[in-house]
Amino acid sequence: MSDRRFSQTYRPKSNEYYYESFGGWTNFMHSYGLKPWNESDVEQGKQIVEDFKRQEKSEWEEAQRGAAKSRK
């Protein structure tokens, strides 16, 4: 398996990737103290996943910059 940090093209992970590590959507929500039947909590859960994705992309970009510097 290749290291995604050094791929030429960023490919975000699916939402399901993040839910899987918690055992699914419901457990993901509960682990953050959110209720999966409450609309505002669902929106907050979606925002958490988007924040994970933004952080991962930021880390990928940083790794790309570091890799580019080391090739010079």
Side-chain angles (χ1 to χ4, degrees), residues 30-46:
H30 286 169
S31 72
Y32 286 97
L34 303 172
K35 300 172 190 83
W37 57 87
N38 180 299
E39 193 171 324
S40 65
D41 282 2
V42 168
E43 290 305 314
Q44 190 174 356
K46 289 178 182 178

Side-chain angles (χ1 to χ4, degrees), residues 29-65:
M29 294 289 287
H30 286 169
S31 72
Y32 286 97
L34 303 172
K35 300 172 190 83
W37 57 87
N38 180 299
E39 193 171 324
S40 65
D41 282 2
V42 168
E43 290 305 314
Q44 190 174 356
K46 289 178 182 178
Q47 186 60 53
I48 290 168
V49 170
E50 289 306 312
D51 291 345
F52 285 159
K53 288 181 174 186
R54 257 192 304 283
Q55 179 63 34
E56 185 173 287
K57 184 175 182 183
S58 175
E59 290 171 3
W60 178 85
E61 290 169 344
E62 184 64 32
Q64 294 300 306
R65 284 191 289 277

Side-chain angles (χ1 to χ4, degrees), residues 3 11 37:
D3 189 340
R11 291 184 206 106
W37 57 87

Side-chain angles (χ1 to χ4, degrees), residues 9-40:
T9 305
Y10 178 73
R11 291 184 206 106
K13 295 176 182 169
S14 69
N15 291 357
E16 288 72 27
Y17 169 85
Y18 297 99
Y19 308 147
E20 252 178 40
S21 65
F22 291 89
W25 168 252
T26 302
N27 289 339
F28 170 83
M29 294 289 287
H30 286 169
S31 72
Y32 286 97
L34 303 172
K35 300 172 190 83
W37 57 87
N38 180 299
E39 193 171 324
S40 65

Side-chain angles (χ1 to χ4, degrees), residues 62 64-72:
E62 184 64 32
Q64 294 300 306
R65 284 191 289 277
K69 285 180 184 179
S70 68
R71 287 189 294 250
K72 289 182 179 183

